């Protein structure tokens, strides 16, 4: 199982890579295929939406057939096949279809690990283990920054994507042969997703799950590239370096948050504090979008660092789930978290186009303002939720 968890972690590295690599390819894809920022935001949104849409069937599959076959099959077909299609893309349509496939392929890998953690480790260790795998997995976010820009410069984006298709296939096969499915939970009654939605205690956790990942996911996923290119004149390599700085901040944030619920004896107020600091950073970007590239990168990194509370949100929600619905529970939260970014990418792409004009900062002021508003509303609702550190 140890090798299996390592391979699931590698699979999550790939998942983090695939959700963020478009930001550094915005220039080359515009040049080669004529795909503009709104089209790339739409493609990025399709990744998140297809990923989110799979969470309900993935939750059923984890509870029914186990994490091994669920993760290996979807990853082989989705990530391997999608990356191959991306490498052969000749238009925005091909990019869109490839991102849908890759989103489907990435959809089970983190939840498969969470399912194993929930079934085989104590509740007190869940947030730490979840934070650890997300922290390591976020290396994919790092690799999708300057290293991807460098690979694009050395061998081109098509060859790079072919290599990623091969790597995805190898990892998928490895998962099939090394992961061991936990024993199924014994329950006196059958359960479903509706049983979770009938729990009022979950209702006020879902809003923060929906909006928490929106700012870091949307900015790192696509907008850091066009923003730095349009407002400050950055080239692909410079965008890659800036993306790497933000990615490193996201890794640091995840690793920091992992044990905080045990240190402070609360999950809710750790999440509230982190979300508030995220709002401060994105508020600065909204008010002063062209003040300084260095400060803007620092604020985007702050969004990534302070906004990395997802493992704690998972632990908060999971603390209320019955054991036999652990798979459906964590995938429900993941549906909201990932789906929220997908919806945000669709909305911000439209806003970016709508605010095009003489002021080069206006589209990005609209993007940052929208992301900040969504987080503020979700946080306000979450303040009424029940804390639970059990």
């Amino acid at each position: 199982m140890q090798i299996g968890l390592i391979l699931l972690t590698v699979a999550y590295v790939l998942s983090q890579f695939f959700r963020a690599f478009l930001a550094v390819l915005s220039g080359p894809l515009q040049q080669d295929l004529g795909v503009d920022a709104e089209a790339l935001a739409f493609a990025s949104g399709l990744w998140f939406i297809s990923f989110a849409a799979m969470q309900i069937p993935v939750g059923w599959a984890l509870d029914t057939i186990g994490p091994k076959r669920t993760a290996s099959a979807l990853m082989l077909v989705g990530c391997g096949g999608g990356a191959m299609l991306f490498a052969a893309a000749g238009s925005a349509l091909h990019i869109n279809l490839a991102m849908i496939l890759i989103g489907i392929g990435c959809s089970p890998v983190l939840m498969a690990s969470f399912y194993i953690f929930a079934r085989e480790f104590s509740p007190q260790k869940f947030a730490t283990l979840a934070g650890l795998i997300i922290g390591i997995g976020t290396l994919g976010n790092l690799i999708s920054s300057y290293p991807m820009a460098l690979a694009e410069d050395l061998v081109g984006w098509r060859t790079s994507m072919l290599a990623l298709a091969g790597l995805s296939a190898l990892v998928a096969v490895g998962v099939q042969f090394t992961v061991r499915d936990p024993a199924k939970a014994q329950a006196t009654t059958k359960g479903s997703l509706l049983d979770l939605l009938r729990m009022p205690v979950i209702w006020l956790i879902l809003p923060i799950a929906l909006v928490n990942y929106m700012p870091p996911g949307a900015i790192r996923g696509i907008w850091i590239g066009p923003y730095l290119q349009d407002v400050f004149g950055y080239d692909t390599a410079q965008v890659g370096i800036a993306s790497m700085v933000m990615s490193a901040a996201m890794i640091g944030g995840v690793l920091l948050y992992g044990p905080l619920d045990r240190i402070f004896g609360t999950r809710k107020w750790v999440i509230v504090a982190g979300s508030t600091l995220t709002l401060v950073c994105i508020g600065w970007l909204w008010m002063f979008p062209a003040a300084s590239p260095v400060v803007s990168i620092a604020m985007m990194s702050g969004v990534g660092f302070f906004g990395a509370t997802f493992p704690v949100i998972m632990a908060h929600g999971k603390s209320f789930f019955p054991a036999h619905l652990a798979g459906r529970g964590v995938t429900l939260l993941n549906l909201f978290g990932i789906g929220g970014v997908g919806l945000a990418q669709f909305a911000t792409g439209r806003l970016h186009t709508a605010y095009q004009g003489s002021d080069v900062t206006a589209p990005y002021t609209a993007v940052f303002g929208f992301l900040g508003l969504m987080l503020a509303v979700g946080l306000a609702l979450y303040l009424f939720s029940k804390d639970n550190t059990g």
Side-chain angles (χ1 to χ4, degrees):
M1 178 62 84
Q2 289 179 342
I3 296 175
L5 286 173
I6 290 170
L7 284 175
L8 283 173
T9 303
V10 174
Y12 187 58
V13 170
L14 287 168
S15 176
Q16 285 280 350
F17 174 92
F18 283 127
R19 73 186 62 183
F21 77 105
L22 287 178
V24 299
L25 293 185
S26 56
L29 290 175
Q30 167 75 38
Q31 207 169 34
D32 294 350
L33 303 180
V35 181
D36 61 16
E38 182 181 0
L40 284 179
F42 185 77
S44 176
L46 288 175
W47 186 96
F48 284 99
I49 290 297
S50 64
F51 187 115
M54 286 298 296
Q55 294 308 297
I56 292 175
V58 163
W60 172 86
L62 291 175
D63 285 327
T64 306
I65 66 175
K68 176 173 70 174
R69 285 177 290 175
T70 302
S72 61
L74 288 176
M75 189 177 181
L76 179 63
V77 175
C79 294
M84 288 185 68
L85 176 59
F86 196 108
S91 68
L93 175 61
H94 299 145
I95 297 292
N96 291 342
L97 293 174
M99 294 303 287
I100 290 172
L101 269 177
I102 295 171
I104 291 171
C106 293
S107 64
V109 294
L110 181 61
M111 293 302 99
S113 300
F114 280 11
Y115 181 83
I116 293 169
F117 295 158
R119 295 303 319 284
E120 299 203 339
F121 295 90
S122 68
Q124 291 77 16
K125 293 181 179 178
F126 183 89
T128 299
L129 290 169
L132 181 63
I133 194 170
I134 292 177
I136 296 171
T138 309
L139 289 171
N141 203 316
L142 199 65
I143 296 167
S144 71
S145 56
Y146 183 69
M148 183 59 186
L150 184 62
E152 193 283 327
D153 185 55
L154 293 175
V155 300
W157 58 269
R158 294 186 188 275
T159 301
S160 300
M161 293 305 295
L162 279 175
L164 287 161
L167 177 59
S168 298
L170 284 174
V171 173
V173 172
V175 166
Q176 174 63 31
F177 285 102
T178 60
V179 171
R180 184 183 72 249
D181 290 330
K184 288 185 172 63
Q186 298 299 317
T188 56
T189 58
K190 292 183 178 180
S192 70
L193 185 63
L194 290 177
D195 293 320
L196 294 173
L197 295 176
R198 291 190 187 104
M199 299 170 61
V201 72
I202 302 299
W203 299 347
L204 292 173
I205 298 176
L206 293 178
I208 195 67
L210 179 70
V211 302
N212 163 263
Y213 190 42
M214 274 187 184
I219 292 172
R220 179 60 190 87
I222 184 65
W223 292 116
I224 188 173
Y227 168 58
L228 292 176
Q229 288 168 345
D230 292 347
V231 177
F232 299 112
Y234 274 33
D235 60 22
T236 300
Q238 290 172 309
V239 168
I241 293 171
S243 299
M244 185 166 63
V245 172
M246 183 176 179
S247 298
M250 293 171 76
I251 295 171
V254 169
L255 294 176
L256 170 72
Y257 279 117
L260 287 187
D261 62 330
R262 287 185 293 154
I263 293 173
F264 292 106
T266 174
R267 293 178 180 129
K268 174 180 175 177
W269 297 107
V270 167
I271 294 163
V272 169
S275 299
T276 302
L277 290 169
T278 304
L279 275 174
V280 171
C281 294
I282 202 163
W284 194 99
L285 289 165
W286 173 63
M287 291 187 292
F288 310 107
S292 161
V294 173
V295 178
S296 290
I297 293 168
M299 290 299 107
M300 288 187 287
S301 298
V303 169
F305 183 85
F306 296 117
T309 56
F310 187 64
V312 192
I313 293 173
M314 275 286 187
H316 191 189
K318 180 229 163 241
S319 66
F320 298 107
F321 300 147
H324 66 289
L325 291 176
R328 288 173 174 86
V330 293
T331 51
L332 174 66
L333 290 174
N334 207 34
L335 184 157
F336 273 73
I338 297 296
V341 183
L343 295 174
Q345 295 293 53
F346 293 156
T348 53
R350 294 288 186 88
L351 283 170
H352 182 270
T353 298
Y355 281 84
Q356 293 285 347
S358 57
D359 183 0
V360 73
T361 65
Y364 301 102
T365 299
V367 168
F368 296 138
F370 173 82
L371 295 173
L373 177 62
M374 292 298 100
L375 180 57
V377 171
L379 178 59
L381 292 172
Y382 180 68
L383 288 174
F384 296 95
S385 68
K386 177 182 177 182
D387 202 357
N388 188 358
T389 55

